[in-house]
Amino acid sequence: MRAVKIFDTTLRDGEQAPGCSMNISEKIEVAKRLEKLGVDIIEAGFPVSSPGDFESVKKIASVIKTCVVTSLCRCLEKDINVGWEALKKAESPRIHVFLATSPVHMEYKLKMTQEQVLEQAVNCVKYAKKFNSDVEFSAEDAFRSDPDFVCKVFSAVIKAGALTVNFPDTLGYAMPEEFGKSIRYIKENTAGIEKVFLSVHCHNDLGLAAANSISAILNGADQVECTINGIGERAGNASLEEIVMGLKVRRDYFNVETKIDTTQIYSVSRLVSQVTGIKLQPNKAIVGDNAFAHEAGIHQHGVLSNRETYEIMTPQAIGIPKSKLDSSSNLVLGKHSGRHAFEERLKELNINLDEKTFEKVFGDFKKLTDKKKTVSLRDIEALVMNETTSVPEIWKLDFWELKTSSSAGASGVIRLRRDGEIYEESICGGDGPLDSIFRTINKITGKEPELELYELGAITDITGADKNGVEGSSSQGETMVKIALNDKYGCLRRWNGRGVSTDVIESSMKAYLAAINVMFYEIEGR
């Protein structure tokens, strides 16, 4: 079978989309999961864009061992210098440079002629080759470009040393049949193309990113650039899970394979959804909550007789634990459950923890069982998430008390701890109890970020009903917040926070403090 490379850009194109920001520890955890998933290339970020992006690329490059790690750079020497500085300690580094080739981009954005674009592309590939042998060149907005000009640019950068050339549908404008024809034209009319890898990068503005990517593979593309859950600019990117499972389920048709361990897809999808705060639509292909759900009676009858009647893949193929789908599972976790049962649940979720982290998560689990009769898989995912993607607790919740009524408003006290010292303020003033709490935390910490997003949900699943069968009555509350504040350079920055507790007020405070701590960690460097 022909092998196709999977280039994951969740941490670059996905993360730069509005509302999808991640802190450094979250990016590192996602990178580790992508490595376990088996992607060939991880695009770790755009180092020149910010000090935070530079630092995250540098740290990811130092911890990833089995994947190529790349950073995106404009075709500018300063970008390449910064990009290489971030990448140079990677086991397998790649410098990824890009320059637009479409008439509208060249005229209005670059203000360059075709000759100038060609010269700059070649010069920058040659400059990048001075640092590293593995260089990829992308022709931004290639699909809306003159195909003969793209062939000319690709031929020149291949001669200059590029090992991969990328043909993006940057605006998600293409139809699958014509995109496939474009790839075939590039393959047939680019000098030296047989010596390098031809990549594609499709956006989802018309909902066709995965279809266009697969059409490109059918017409000779060697690499596809995609993201977990399809996150990305505007309507997003091609969805990794849709492309990979399409190739796997229809292997008879494509005769193509990837290195992806598909049993890791579900856990990576859940992680990305949680750290970005971007929830999946229930009917999202492959990983949505309804992807393997059957409500119609005739469908249920067929599935109970033989799953193949209404399923073309098994839930286990993407790593969904059997106990999440099967209510007959007799392994229920509660206050009397031991280490072995807890370890089994982690295995079902494809989660591997070092001994120190396991002990911390197991301790949190035992505390949770004192508050909750049974603990679900979603609860365990939340416990692991809190431990593996957190930044240092600069501000820690020490004590809180809240009284509220429709007539008197909110009152009480919040006590935070920082560096061993206690800071306490009375709760007062605000539009409701949560607004009062957040204002009080701002007063204690000395920062006044704007709250841009607040979401509250319940962590429930099939094992989360109480003894009376009431779903979610003993559930943990899961809160997501997003705050924004101008940094010292006057740039508006955003941070996510997530909190989990059986008390929704406490989960809200934890989420807000988590975002505050990320803000302090990144702005103050501690």
Side-chain angles (χ1 to χ4, degrees):
M1 286 190 178
R2 184 166 71 93
V4 170
K5 291 180 179 291
I6 300 297
F7 177 117
D8 184 276
T9 184
T10 302
L11 295 171
R12 199 279 302 170
D13 200 333
E15 196 264 346
Q16 74 185 33
C20 289
S21 60
M22 298 175 243
N23 64 51
I24 291 177
S25 62
E26 289 168 343
K27 289 182 182 181
I28 291 171
E29 183 62 24
V30 170
K32 289 178 179 177
R33 297 284 189 93
L34 292 172
E35 182 177 37
K36 188 176 180 182
L37 179 66
V39 304
D40 296 276
I41 304 101
I42 296 173
E43 187 162 57
F46 193 177
V48 81
S49 66
S50 72
D53 238 35
F54 174 86
E55 194 62 30
S56 64
V57 173
K58 186 176 180 180
K59 289 188 176 181
I60 290 167
S62 68
V63 300
I64 298 301
K65 304 302 179 186
T66 62
C67 305
V68 173
V69 178
T70 186
S71 63
L72 187 68
C73 308
R74 293 168 298 183
C75 272
L76 299 172
E77 289 188 3
K78 68 174 184 178
D79 279 36
I80 295 168
N81 290 337
V82 173
W84 177 246
E85 184 63 27
L87 274 180
K88 63 183 182 183
K89 291 186 178 179
E91 195 79 20
S92 302
R94 172 183 294 185
I95 298 174
H96 183 190
V97 297
F98 73 97
L99 190 63
T101 54
S102 66
V104 65
H105 274 245
M106 288 189 292
E107 180 179 355
Y108 293 102
K109 186 179 79 171
L110 300 178
K111 303 188 185 304
M112 296 169 66
T113 64
Q114 284 191 350
E115 291 72 24
Q116 290 172 320
V117 166
L118 179 62
E119 181 182 9
Q120 186 164 331
V122 169
N123 288 342
C124 282
V125 168
K126 288 181 177 178
Y127 186 74
K129 291 287 285 188
K130 294 178 181 179
F131 298 100
N132 190 51
S133 60
D134 189 356
V135 175
E136 175 174 342
F137 174 81
S138 287
E140 186 183 10
D141 204 18
F143 179 75
R144 298 196 304 168
S145 304
D146 175 359
D148 290 321
F149 179 57
V150 175
C151 290
K152 186 177 181 180
V153 172
F154 279 177
S155 297
V157 297
I158 291 170
K159 188 175 180 180
L163 300 183
T164 303
V165 289
N166 180 38
F167 187 91
D169 180 20
T170 306
L171 275 295
Y173 182 69
M175 294 292 111
E177 184 178 2
E178 62 178 343
F179 193 68
K181 288 180 179 178
S182 295
I183 297 305
R184 190 161 63 248
Y185 188 87
I186 296 296
K187 293 281 285 188
E188 293 172 352
N189 293 278
T190 301
I193 195 73
E194 70 283 354
K195 302 174 184 177
V196 302
F197 294 98
L198 176 59
S199 180
V200 292
H201 179 116
C202 298
H203 278 261
N204 204 41
D205 297 71
L206 294 175
L208 296 169
N212 285 333
S213 298
I214 287 176
S215 178
I217 291 170
L218 279 172
N219 285 277
D222 308 294
Q223 174 180 293
V224 287
E225 306 190 1
C226 45
T227 63
I228 300 297
N229 300 337
I231 65 171
E233 292 279 9
R234 303 182 312 282
N237 287 9
S239 169
L240 180 148
E241 59 274 8
E242 293 174 18
I243 294 170
V244 168
M245 291 309 294
L247 296 177
K248 180 173 181 175
V249 170
R250 295 307 312 273
R251 187 173 295 181
D252 60 315
Y253 181 76
F254 293 107
N255 198 33
V256 165
E257 63 181 358
T258 70
K259 288 169 53 182
I260 298 298
D261 176 0
T262 63
T263 64
Q264 302 297 322
I265 285 175
Y266 177 76
S267 62
V268 179
S269 170
R270 291 285 307 160
L271 174 66
V272 170
S273 176
Q274 288 174 331
V275 299
T276 60
I278 305 300
K279 295 182 179 179
L280 294 176
Q281 64 197 63
N283 63 327
K284 168 72 171 67
I286 313 299
V287 291
D289 284 344
N290 292 350
F292 295 93
H294 304 276
E295 184 169 334
I298 189 171
H299 285 214
Q300 291 175 342
H301 176 75
V303 169
L304 289 172
S305 301
N306 186 325
R307 297 198 77 95
E308 291 185 11
T309 54
Y310 286 103
E311 289 183 358
I312 59 173
M313 67 192 102
T314 67
Q316 288 73 34
I318 66 164
I320 297 179
K322 184 175 185 295
S323 56
K324 183 174 177 62
L325 301 161
D326 182 7
S327 60
S328 66
S329 173
N330 59 10
L331 185 57
V332 177
L333 294 184
K335 67 186 300 180
H336 301 297
S337 300
R339 295 171 59 94
H340 181 69
F342 189 70
E343 288 173 345
E344 286 300 311
R345 280 296 197 236
L346 291 179
K347 287 179 183 177
E348 289 183 40
L349 292 167
N350 287 312
I351 294 173
N352 295 313
L353 303 176
D354 59 57
E355 186 175 348
K356 181 179 179 181
T357 307
F358 174 86
E359 293 296 338
K360 179 65 170 65
V361 174
F362 184 64
D364 292 340
F365 158 72
K366 296 301 282 187
K367 291 177 184 177
L368 180 59
T369 60
D370 287 332
K371 300 178 180 179
K372 216 181 159 195
K373 294 181 183 297
T374 60
V375 177
S376 71
L377 291 175
R378 291 283 303 279
D379 289 320
I380 296 173
E381 287 177 331
L383 293 176
V384 172
M385 182 74 61
N386 281 344
E387 187 58 33
T388 57
T389 61
S390 61
V391 300
E393 282 191 293
I394 298 167
W395 292 97
K396 186 173 182 179
L397 183 63
D398 187 73
F399 174 81
W400 66 276
E401 183 179 66
L402 176 69
K403 297 178 181 178
T404 185
S405 69
S406 59
S407 59
S411 63
V413 67
I414 292 179
R415 193 161 66 217
L416 304 182
R417 184 185 297 272
R418 178 177 180 175
D419 296 334
E421 293 189 34
I422 295 294
Y423 300 81
E424 184 175 301
E425 286 287 343
S426 297
I427 296 174
C428 61
D431 186 13
L434 290 178
D435 185 51
S436 299
I437 286 169
F438 296 158
R439 286 173 182 268
T440 305
I441 291 175
N442 289 347
K443 188 174 181 180
I444 295 174
T445 60
K447 301 287 186 183
E448 294 189 6
E450 179 184 353
L451 180 66
E452 290 193 339
L453 173 73
Y454 174 86
E455 288 185 353
L456 177 65
I459 298 176
T460 59
D461 71 14
I462 206 161
T463 64
D466 69 4
K467 63 181 180 181
N468 297 315
V470 178
E471 180 66 28
S473 63
S474 60
S475 176
Q476 293 190 93
E478 181 180 41
T479 305
M480 292 291 304
V481 303
K482 187 183 299 294
I483 60 175
L485 186 72
N486 287 328
D487 63 17
K488 62 183 179 181
Y489 303 106
C491 298
L492 184 66
R493 297 181 61 182
R494 294 176 172 86
W495 300 272
N496 295 328
R498 179 174 169 275
V500 175
S501 174
T502 52
D503 186 302
V504 296
I505 296 294
E506 185 167 281
S507 75
S508 300
M509 282 191 277
K510 286 183 174 180
Y512 196 77
L513 273 176
I516 290 284
N517 282 329
V518 176
M519 178 181 69
F520 271 81
Y521 181 70
E522 294 190 0
I523 289 182
E524 296 189 357
R526 56 163 299 174

